[in-house]
Amino acid sequence: MDVRVHPVPLGYTRSYILIGEGAVLIDGGNPKKVGSFLKSLKQTSLNPQDIQLIVITHGHFDHIGSVHEIQKVTGAKIAMHYRDKDCLENSFKPGVRGVTAWGRVLASLTSLMSPFMHIEPAEVDIVLEDEDFSLVKFGIPGKIIHTPGHTMGCVSVLLDNGDAFVGDMAMNSFPLRLTPGPPVFAEDFDRVSKSWQGLLDAGASRIFPGHGKSFSADVIQKILS
Ligand SMILES: [Zn+2]
Ligand SMILES: [Zn+2]
C-alpha cells in the first residue's frame, strides 16, 4: 500500500498528512493555524473528517498550537506520549535547553516568549506508552515509535517504506539550523543519539523533520559515526 506524504506548513512548523487507505495528520503546528491547515487540505482530495488521527510528536507549543481547533474541524482522535501529554491537556510549557551555542541563544529567547504563548488545551484520546503503536488500523502501513531525547515524550512515525517523521529529532531550517541535523535543543542529547540509532536500525531511510525539508538518513548516520 502506497502512502502519499502531503507537507502542511503551519506557521514555521511543518506538519504532514499521510494518505493511505486512511489519513493521519502528524503535529498541530503553531497557534492559530487552523486556516492554513484547511487551505492545505484543499490541495488533497480529502475532507476534514477524513483525518482519523492526529499524532503529536512532542509537547512544544509549535507542535500542539492548533491541535484544539484542528481536532474540532476533523473530529480526529489525538495520540500523544504520556510523558508529554500534560503540555496539551493542561497547557504545561516545558523549559528548553540549548545543546549548541546557537541553541542556547534560541532557548533563552523561547523562554522569554513562552509566558505570552497561549495553547488551547485538548484531551489526548490515545495515550502512547514506550512500546511501538501500529498505524495499520488507521489505514497507514507504519508505526509510532518512542524516540525520547529532545523531550522525554517525543515520538516518531516510521512507515514500512522507510519514511520517518521525526518532529524535532531533526531540524533543517533557519533560524534553527542551516543544514539538516539533530536538534539544537534537547532535554537529554545522549538519548537523542540513542533514539536516532534505534530509528535507523528500524529502517528509517528518508527523514521528514518538524522544521524544513526532508533529507536522506545518511546525513544522520554520518553525524552519529
Ligand atoms: Zn521541540
Ligand atoms: Zn519545533
Side-chain angles (χ1 to χ4, degrees):
M1 190 204 317
D2 273 353
V3 177
R4 221 173 91 217
V5 177
H6 182 73
V8 183
L10 297 178
Y12 60 84
T13 304
R14 197 174 272 232
S15 294
Y16 298 91
I17 298 172
L18 307 182
I19 310 168
E21 278 173 8
V24 168
L25 173 71
I26 300 177
D27 275 344
N30 284 89
K32 299 192 191 328
K33 294 296 170 196
V34 67
S36 310
F37 166 75
L38 290 171
K39 200 168 144 198
S40 182
L41 192 69
K42 281 202 180 126
Q43 296 157 3
T44 71
S45 52
L46 299 175
N47 294 312
Q49 300 76 15
D50 293 329
I51 308 279
Q52 289 144 5
L53 180 69
I54 306 169
V55 179
I56 311 292
T57 61
H58 66 293
H60 286 157
F61 73 89
D62 54 322
H63 298 257
I64 59 172
S66 295
V67 171
H68 174 95
E69 289 96 330
I70 293 175
Q71 200 280 333
K72 270 209 299 205
V73 297
T74 58
K77 290 204 178 333
I78 298 172
M80 193 168 180
H81 193 269
Y82 75 93
R83 283 185 189 273
D84 273 26
K85 79 181 179 83
D86 208 25
C87 302
L88 182 60
E89 292 190 329
N90 299 310
S91 307
F92 174 70
K93 294 168 189 163
V96 293
R97 203 170 67 83
V99 292
T100 61
W102 181 234
R104 284 188 280 276
V105 172
L106 291 176
S108 29
L109 289 175
T110 306
S111 42
L112 288 176
M113 259 160 55
S114 184
F116 304 100
M117 200 65 70
H118 176 70
I119 304 295
E120 202 59 55
E123 202 167 316
V124 174
D125 304 288
I126 299 171
V127 178
L128 302 168
E129 304 287 333
D130 296 348
E131 298 76 36
D132 296 354
F133 180 92
S134 171
L135 290 172
V136 168
K137 70 172 174 215
F138 293 94
I140 300 294
K143 58 189 171 185
I144 304 174
I145 300 179
H146 182 217
T147 48
H150 175 68
T151 68
M152 296 322 268
C154 270
V155 299
S156 299
V157 170
L158 177 63
L159 300 185
D160 291 355
N161 67 10
D163 286 355
F165 302 82
V166 301
D168 283 356
M169 272 256 285
M171 297 176 164
N172 188 21
S173 68
F174 182 80
L176 296 161
R177 289 187 61 106
L178 299 176
T179 54
V184 295
F185 314 119
E187 279 179 28
D188 182 342
F189 198 77
D190 287 343
R191 293 296 293 271
V192 173
S193 304
K194 275 198 199 115
S195 291
W196 265 121
Q197 203 53 62
L199 210 48
L200 295 171
D201 291 347
S205 57
R206 180 118 208 121
I207 309 305
F208 294 78
H211 302 280
K213 289 186 180 153
S214 68
F215 59 91
S216 160
D218 295 348
V219 173
I220 298 290
Q221 193 85 65
K222 270 193 202 118
I223 292 170
L224 288 182
S225 56

